[in-house]
């Protein structure tokens, strides 16, 4: 399978715990994006990388959230001190670095904070 | 701020009918729109896109219409099939695939 891969698919955690998600993009894609989707809503942009550089962060990305893409390949999204409001689907997408390049989404990681 | 929204939360059609899903946007400077299909438990999947220099674009069984005067776009699906059942989002590409999504319309296709 050469699509965008996200792990884990599901994560249940207790409030206050830290969680980390991983995204493996399509191998030749140098852009990688993180989105968050709550039930019944469209995905909301969080941040994106070009290669290893994080180029933009949404104001939705509080200081409890950190994303990395250390070698310009896979990326991790960490949430510290999780809150119930963090419960959502976290989607990763990747694309080539062209204005009209299609973004391919992974299946997401569903986070439930109890 | 800019927003992309949908008129109807749920659309129910019979198999074989044509479906029309509508979307309104607020930023008159928006120039690149994409329709996505999202099936349960999956990420959004690209269907078709359109730029503001066009008012119509066709794909396989799908057509997107863009009316810049009223800031409205629609997705038409011909001969809707049960496999078309999903949530459909319009999204604005604000640059480098930074997407602003609408709320979504759930399409239910009954046999």
């Amino acid at each position: 399978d050469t699509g965008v891969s996200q792990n884990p698919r599901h994560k249940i955690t207790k409030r206050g715990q830290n969680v980390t998600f991983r995204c493996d993009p399509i191998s030749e894609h140098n852009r990688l994006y993180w989105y968050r989707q709550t039930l019944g809503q469209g995905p909301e942009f969080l941040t994106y990388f070009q290669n290893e550089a994080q180029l933009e962060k949404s104001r939705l990305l509080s200081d409890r959230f950190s994303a990395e893409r250390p070698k310009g390949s896979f990326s991790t999204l960490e949430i510290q001190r999780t809150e119930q409001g963090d419960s959502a689907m976290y989607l990763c997408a990747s694309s080539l670095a062209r204005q009209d390049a299609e973004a391919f989404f992974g299946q997401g990681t569903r986070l439930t904070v109890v | 701020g800019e927003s992309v929204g949908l008129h109807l939360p749920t659309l129910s059609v019979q198999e074989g009918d044509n479906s029309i899903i509508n979307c309104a946007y607020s930023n008159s400077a928006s120039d690149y729109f994409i329709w996505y299909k999202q099936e349960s438990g999956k990420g959004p999947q690209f269907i078709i896109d359109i730029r503001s220099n066009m008012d119509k674009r066709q794909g396989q069984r799908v057509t997107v219409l863009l009316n810049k005067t009223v800031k409205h776009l629609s997705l038409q699906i011909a001969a809707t099939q049960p496999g078309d059942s999903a949530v459909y989002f319009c999204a604005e590409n604000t640059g480098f695939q930074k997407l602003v999504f609408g709320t979504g319309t759930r399409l239910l296709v009954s046999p």
Side-chain angles (χ1 to χ4, degrees):
Chain A
D1 188 346
T2 57
V4 177
S5 176
Q6 292 188 246
N7 288 288
R9 291 293 310 281
H10 303 275
K11 178 71 176 178
I12 300 174
T13 192
K14 292 184 178 179
R15 190 173 51 188
Q17 297 295 304
N18 299 343
V19 293
T20 300
F21 311 139
R22 176 177 171 127
C23 172
D24 287 89
I26 294 171
S27 59
E28 63 268 27
H29 286 182
N30 48 8
R31 288 226 174 100
L32 186 148
Y33 313 80
W34 285 99
Y35 286 79
R36 181 173 69 187
Q37 185 176 25
T38 54
L39 200 60
Q41 302 296 316
E44 297 173 292
F45 171 81
L46 293 178
T47 187
Y48 92 94
F49 293 83
Q50 179 154 323
N51 301 315
E52 66 276 8
Q54 188 172 17
L55 296 186
E56 188 170 345
K57 292 193 291 186
S58 163
R59 60 181 181 272
L60 294 175
L61 212 65
S62 78
D63 56 8
R64 296 185 296 105
F65 288 69
S66 61
E68 295 183 342
R69 195 182 183 197
K71 298 181 180 178
S73 56
F74 74 91
S75 175
T76 57
L77 178 67
E78 181 183 16
I79 309 174
Q80 295 181 327
R81 305 181 302 282
T82 52
E83 302 173 356
Q84 287 188 321
D86 297 331
S87 295
M89 175 78 83
Y90 290 84
L91 292 162
C92 176
S94 69
S95 76
L96 296 170
R98 285 197 327 256
Q99 176 69 10
D100 61 346
E102 180 182 341
F104 292 82
F105 283 83
Q107 296 192 346
T109 294
R110 180 166 294 286
L111 173 67
T112 303
V113 181
V114 297
Chain B
E2 293 85 5
S3 67
V4 180
L6 297 182
H7 293 308
L8 297 175
T10 303
L11 176 64
S12 296
V13 300
Q14 296 281 331
E15 182 178 359
D17 287 352
N18 296 333
S19 302
I20 299 175
I21 300 172
N22 297 304
C23 180
Y25 61 95
S26 59
N27 183 3
S28 56
S30 301
D31 65 357
Y32 185 16
F33 299 93
I34 306 171
W35 281 98
Y36 284 90
K37 173 185 180 182
Q38 187 173 26
E39 296 175 281
S40 181
K42 296 184 178 180
Q45 178 184 6
F46 174 95
I47 301 172
I48 191 168
D49 60 359
I50 189 166
R51 291 191 175 274
S52 59
N53 61 351
M54 304 174 71
D55 53 19
K56 180 179 180 178
R57 192 164 187 218
Q58 289 184 292
Q60 187 176 13
R61 286 201 304 118
V62 295
T63 301
V64 55
L65 300 177
L66 176 61
N67 185 329
K68 296 178 285 296
T69 303
V70 296
K71 293 183 282 188
H72 179 273
L73 65 160
S74 65
L75 177 71
Q76 301 178 0
I77 305 173
T80 314
Q81 303 169 358
D84 295 326
S85 294
V87 178
Y88 289 81
F89 294 97
C90 64
E92 178 192 354
N93 183 350
T94 63
F96 301 105
Q97 294 298 326
K98 179 186 166 185
L99 302 167
V100 177
F101 284 82
T103 305
T105 292
R106 181 174 301 280
L107 177 65
L108 299 174
V109 183
S110 53

